[in-house]
Amino acid sequence: IDEYKKVLTLDPQDIRTRLKLIDLYGRAGKLNEAIDECLQVTEVYADQGFYLKAIAVYKQAVRMDPDNPLLYRNMGEMYVKQGLMGDALTAFKRGVDVLRHQGLSSEAEDLLVRMEEMAPENAAIKIHLAELFLEDGKYEAFEEELTKLILQLRGEGRSGKLLQAVESFYERSNHAPSVLTHLAELYVDLGEEVKALGVIREGLANDPVNRDLRLLALRAHLALGEWAEGRRMALALHEEDPDDLFILEQLVTIAQARGEKTELAEAYKAMAAVYGRRGQQQKEEACYRNVLDIFPDDAEAHISLGDVRLEGAPEAPIGPEPPTAPESEPEVTEAETPGETDALQEGLVEAELYLKYGMEERAAEKLCELVELVPHDLQVRQKLRDLYQRKGEHEGWVREQSRIAEIFLKEKREEEALRAYQAMLEVDPTNEEAISGIRQLKPDALPPRPADVEIELDGAMVESVAVVGEERAVRERERETPAEREEEFFDLQKEVLDSADHGLGSVEGFEDFEVSELDDIVREFKSGIAENVEAGDYETRYNLGVAYREMDLLEDAAKEFELAAQSPDKAREAYTSLALVYRDMGKREDAFGALRRALALPGITPPDQAAILHEMGVFAEEEEDWERALRLFEQVADTDPSHRGVQSRIRRLRSRVEG
C-alpha cells in the first residue's frame, strides 16, 4: 500500500494503481480507505463517460460496504446515464432501505422523490413515499402523495390494489381521520358497506358532525336496505341544509321503499320549493305533478301548477318524471361542439353528485347518456367503469376497461393502454382481449403464474424461490465463516466482472416496477457502439466483453474476449476473463483451456503465473477434483509461496486427499 501510494503522488490519475489499492485495502481490512479509492476511480470513469466501468467499481464498493447509501445513489445515477432505468431504480431502492434503517428519513424521502420523477407511473413508489411521509408525521405531504396515488390507481381501474394500500395506511396512521374517510369511501364504492359502517362509526365517535362521513353512512345504510336508519340520518342532514336536493332525493327513495305516501309527497314538495327558489320552473312543476300522482286532490300542488279546480283528477294522467332530468339533450354529432362540451360538463357534475349521494342507478343513466354523446371521452368511460365496479357488475367493468384501453391506443398512449390491459387481467386472469392486447404491446409483460416451492441448497441460504413455467429462479447468499472472510480478500477483477443481481422483481415491495427491456437495451447498445469499433481497438473489444458479461450475454462476451486476446497487451486479461465466461456457461474444460492459453503467453511474469494457476485451482475445487486442485495450488506455492491464502488451501486439500 505504501509503495503504491508513492506512485499516486507522482501520477494521481493512474487508475490501475488505484484499482490495485482498492484490492490491497480490502485485504488489509481498511474499509474507509478502500471506499475512498472506489469513489475517486468512479469519478474519473464517469468524467470520461465510461459508465459501465464506474458501475462495476460501485458493485465492488457496495459489497465491501453494503450499508453505505451514497454508493447506491451514485451507482443509480451511473445506471441512469447508461440508460438502464430499471437497474437505476433498484439501486436507489436499496439506498432507500439503508437510509431508512439508519433513521435518515429526509434523505430517504429525497431519494424516493428522485425515483418518482424517473417513474411517475409507478404506484409502488408512491406507496413507499406516502408511507415514509406518514411515519415522519409529514401529514400534508402524505395527503398530497395519497391523492396522487388514488387518482392514478382509480384511473387505471385498480381499486382493489388501492384498497390494500389505504388499509395499510389506516393501520400505520393509527386510524387518522383523513385516511379513515378515504377508506370508508373505498369500502362503500367497492360494495363493502358493513366494513364501511364499522370505520365510519369509529370516525363519528371522534367527530359526530362530520358531514362527509354521515353522507357515506347514509349511502351504506341505503345499500344495505336499512331504511329506518337511513331515514334518520337523511332527516338530520336535511335539517342542516334544507336546500340540498340530493338529500331530498334520498328522502324520496326512502319513502318509496317504505311505502310512506305522505312522506313521499312532502319530499316532492320540498324539492319543488328548492327548484322554485332557483328559478327552475320546469323541474318545480315536475315535482308537483309527482305529488298529484300520489294525492290527486292535493290543493297545494294544484295551486302551484295554476290549476284552481280542486275536484277531480287532472285531464290527462301524469306519469312519473325524474325531478332532475335535463330539460333537453344536445344531438349527438361526430365533432364536439361548444354546446356539447357544456352538456358534457354539466352531465359529469350531475353524475358526480348522484355518485356522492349513493344514487347509483341515476348516475348510471346519466353516464350512459354521456357515453352516447361522447363515446371517446376518457373521463366518462372511467367513471362508468368505476360505477360498474361499485355495483358489482363484472361484465360492465371489463367492457368499459377494454374501451378505455382502446382510447389509449388510439391516442398513442401505449404505456397507459398496457396498464389498462394489465388491470383487466387482475380482475379476469383469462381475459383473451387483455392477453392479446398485452402480447401486441409488450409480450414479456404477460404475468407469469408462479408457484412457491421449497428448495434446500447445501452451504447456501435461500432468499426467494419461484417456479415460472419450466424455469426456477433461485437467489442465494453464501454462508461464510469469519475465517473464510479473513482468508478471501476482494479479487478486483472477479468482483468487477461478476454482475450482481439487480432484477427488480427481487426487491420486496417493488414488484410493480416496469424495467427496460433487455432486448431493446442490447439492440441500442450494439447499434450505437459495438458495430462501430475499429478493427485494432482491442481495449474497446475487452470493455465490450465486460459489458456483455454484465448483461449475461455470454456468447457475445466470449467473442469479444477472443478478439481482445489478439493484442499482446490485453491477452492475459482477455484469456482470464474468457475463462470466467466459460465457467458461467458451464464449460469447465474450455475455461481451463483459456487459462492454459494465458499461461503459455510469452513474457508472463511469476505473479501473473501464480494468479492464473490460482484460478485454475479454484475451478478444480468447484468441480470437487481435489487431487487436480491440490497439484495446481502446489504449483502456485512453488511460484509464489505467499500468494493469497495458498498455504491454507493446500493444507485443506491435502487433508481431503489423504483422508
Side-chain angles (χ1 to χ4, degrees):
I1 288 171
D2 289 340
E3 293 303 318
Y4 280 124
K5 287 169 69 175
K6 292 176 184 177
V7 174
L8 285 180
T9 59
L10 300 175
D11 183 6
Q13 300 301 314
D14 186 343
I15 295 301
R16 290 184 178 275
T17 295
R18 291 196 181 277
L19 290 173
K20 291 180 181 295
L21 272 174
I22 295 171
D23 184 7
L24 290 167
Y25 281 135
R27 295 195 209 185
K30 296 184 176 183
L31 180 61
N32 293 334
E33 291 86 345
I35 297 303
D36 287 343
E37 288 298 330
C38 283
L39 291 174
Q40 293 192 58
V41 169
T42 53
E43 184 177 352
V44 172
Y45 280 151
D47 289 342
Q48 296 174 349
F50 296 143
Y51 303 126
L52 284 174
K53 287 185 176 182
I55 290 167
V57 177
Y58 274 123
K59 289 178 182 179
Q60 163 79 348
V62 298
R63 292 185 184 182
M64 288 190 287
D65 189 6
D67 296 327
N68 189 328
L70 177 64
L71 299 177
Y72 292 110
R73 177 151 200 163
N74 289 358
M75 182 165 61
E77 295 297 348
M78 291 300 102
Y79 276 123
V80 171
K81 292 179 183 296
Q82 191 63 31
L84 301 172
M85 295 304 180
D87 288 322
L89 289 169
T90 304
F92 287 148
K93 171 57 173 61
R94 290 175 176 170
V96 168
D97 291 340
V98 171
L99 288 166
R100 293 184 69 174
H101 182 71
Q102 295 175 355
L104 301 173
S105 298
S106 295
E107 289 86 344
E109 290 164 10
D110 291 342
L111 199 46
L112 276 169
V113 169
R114 173 80 170 101
M115 295 169 68
E116 189 177 32
E117 291 171 354
M118 291 171 57
E121 78 290 344
N122 193 283
I125 298 174
K126 291 183 176 65
I127 291 172
H128 283 261
L129 188 54
E131 180 183 285
L132 195 54
F133 284 141
L134 187 60
E135 289 177 1
D136 291 346
K138 298 180 179 179
Y139 297 113
E140 289 186 9
F142 165 73
E143 279 289 335
E144 182 180 348
E145 205 63 34
L146 179 58
T147 300
K148 289 192 289 186
L149 180 67
I150 290 172
L151 288 173
Q152 177 179 331
L153 290 181
R154 280 204 156 175
E156 294 173 2
R158 303 171 71 187
S159 296
K161 187 173 187 63
L162 176 60
L163 179 60
Q164 292 176 358
V166 176
E167 284 178 330
S168 173
F169 293 143
Y170 181 58
E171 295 301 324
R172 288 175 178 270
S173 67
N174 198 22
H175 300 192
S178 59
V179 186
L180 183 147
T181 302
H182 286 305
L183 181 58
E185 185 175 8
L186 278 171
Y187 278 143
V188 173
D189 288 346
L190 295 174
E192 299 280 358
E193 289 86 4
V194 175
K195 287 184 178 180
L197 287 172
V199 173
I200 291 167
R201 290 190 187 101
E202 181 180 345
L204 291 176
N206 298 318
D207 185 6
V209 296
N210 187 305
R211 189 173 180 84
D212 289 336
L213 286 178
R214 291 156 70 202
L215 287 171
L216 288 171
L218 175 58
R219 286 175 55 189
H221 285 306
L222 297 187
L224 292 169
E226 297 173 355
W227 307 113
E229 186 62 23
R231 176 178 178 275
R232 183 186 67 77
M233 299 199 75
L235 288 172
L237 290 165
H238 173 61
E239 287 179 9
E240 293 173 7
D241 185 1
D243 288 348
D244 191 325
L245 283 168
F246 288 91
I247 292 296
L248 290 170
E249 288 272 14
Q250 302 288 31
L251 288 171
V252 166
T253 300
I254 293 168
Q256 287 174 331
R258 300 177 72 216
E260 296 286 347
K261 291 185 178 182
T262 302
E263 287 188 10
L264 182 58
E266 290 301 318
Y268 278 130
K269 288 180 182 180
M271 290 176 68
V274 174
Y275 284 128
R277 288 193 291 274
R278 296 182 179 181
Q280 296 175 277
Q281 185 178 358
Q282 187 175 0
K283 292 184 177 181
E284 178 188 8
E285 291 177 357
C287 288
Y288 280 123
R289 289 193 184 96
N290 286 332
V291 173
L292 292 178
D293 280 343
I294 302 166
F295 296 119
D297 296 330
D298 188 276
E300 181 183 347
H302 280 294
I303 293 171
S304 298
L305 290 170
D307 183 1
V308 297
R309 292 176 302 158
L310 302 181
E311 297 182 0
E315 294 181 1
I318 302 175
E321 182 179 349
T324 56
E327 297 179 12
S328 62
E329 291 287 351
E331 295 182 1
V332 177
T333 58
E334 291 184 5
E336 190 172 310
T337 65
E340 188 177 87
T341 302
D342 292 341
L344 173 61
Q345 294 305 317
E346 290 176 8
L348 283 171
V349 171
E350 190 173 345
E352 191 64 40
L353 286 170
Y354 284 139
L355 291 171
K356 180 178 180 181
Y357 288 89
M359 303 169 67
E360 295 174 355
E361 294 302 326
R362 300 289 294 278
E365 292 173 7
K366 174 54 63 179
L367 289 171
C368 287
E369 291 174 10
L370 294 176
V371 164
E372 292 294 323
L373 178 68
V374 280
H376 299 297
D377 187 274
L378 192 60
Q379 188 178 10
V380 174
R381 291 284 185 185
Q382 288 173 333
K383 286 186 179 296
L384 185 56
R385 173 203 62 194
D386 294 344
L387 179 56
Y388 282 133
Q389 183 178 43
R390 179 186 300 186
K391 295 170 67 179
E393 296 183 13
H394 175 81
E395 292 183 2
W397 185 95
V398 171
R399 183 176 62 251
E400 290 305 315
Q401 184 74 353
S402 174
R403 300 294 176 271
I404 289 166
E406 291 172 3
I407 293 171
F408 282 137
L409 287 174
K410 186 175 182 180
E411 296 178 357
K412 308 297 183 183
R413 297 160 67 178
E414 286 85 359
E415 284 296 324
E416 290 165 285
L418 176 65
R419 289 197 293 276
Y421 283 130
Q422 288 172 327
M424 286 175 67
L425 288 186
E426 289 179 11
V427 174
D428 183 4
T430 61
N431 188 282
E432 289 299 328
E433 186 175 355
I435 293 171
S436 175
I438 295 173
R439 186 174 288 119
Q440 292 178 16
L441 289 167
K442 190 176 181 182
D444 291 344
L446 281 170
R449 298 180 181 176
D452 291 336
V453 297
E454 200 170 307
I455 299 176
E456 293 184 2
L457 301 174
D458 290 337
M461 182 183 299
V462 177
E463 287 187 348
S464 63
V465 182
V467 176
V468 181
E470 297 298 324
E471 298 180 2
R472 294 183 175 182
V474 180
R475 296 180 61 244
E476 58 183 70
R477 180 172 64 251
E478 294 293 332
R479 292 196 182 99
E480 293 180 338
T481 66
E484 288 172 331
R485 281 195 290 270
E486 285 180 4
E487 179 182 329
E488 295 297 330
F489 64 89
F490 286 97
D491 181 335
L492 180 64
Q493 178 174 313
K494 185 175 184 301
E495 292 297 317
V496 168
L497 291 177
D498 282 350
S499 174
D501 176 12
H502 288 286
L504 288 173
S506 65
V507 182
E508 184 178 355
F510 272 65
E511 294 82 358
D512 280 354
F513 276 157
E514 296 173 3
V515 302
S516 301
E517 288 300 303
L518 182 60
D519 289 343
D520 295 337
I521 295 169
V522 172
R523 192 179 304 113
E524 182 179 352
F525 180 76
K526 286 183 175 179
S527 63
I529 301 175
E531 294 177 358
N532 298 315
V533 178
E534 296 180 3
D537 191 350
Y538 298 113
E539 179 75 23
T540 300
R541 287 293 180 190
Y542 179 80
N543 290 335
L544 282 174
V546 173
Y548 285 141
R549 184 165 183 253
E550 287 185 352
M551 295 177 185
D552 204 30
L553 303 174
L554 301 180
E555 294 287 351
D556 291 307
K559 291 176 183 176
E560 296 299 335
F561 287 136
E562 288 279 9
L563 290 171
Q566 297 175 18
S567 165
D569 295 333
K570 297 298 297 182
R572 188 190 64 78
E573 288 178 278
Y575 283 133
T576 304
S577 299
L578 181 62
L580 295 175
V581 170
Y582 282 139
R583 183 191 65 180
D584 293 345
M585 297 169 71
K587 298 179 178 180
R588 296 284 180 178
E589 287 305 318
D590 288 340
F592 276 112
L595 291 174
R596 281 193 290 268
R597 288 155 73 185
L599 276 176
L601 289 171
I604 191 166
T605 64
D608 288 341
Q609 184 180 8
I612 295 168
L613 288 167
H614 183 277
E615 288 301 319
M616 295 174 73
V618 170
F619 287 0
E621 257 192 314
E622 290 174 354
E623 289 190 325
E624 298 186 359
D625 189 344
W626 313 123
E627 292 184 359
R628 185 180 191 182
L630 177 58
R631 288 196 302 273
L632 288 165
F633 282 119
E634 286 174 341
Q635 291 179 56
V636 173
D638 291 340
T639 305
D640 180 4
S642 62
H643 191 80
R644 48 181 172 131
V646 67
Q647 300 298 340
S648 61
R649 282 186 180 272
I650 290 173
R651 287 194 298 272
R652 187 167 63 244
L653 287 167
R654 278 179 178 164
S655 65
R656 280 185 177 274
V657 172
E658 294 171 1

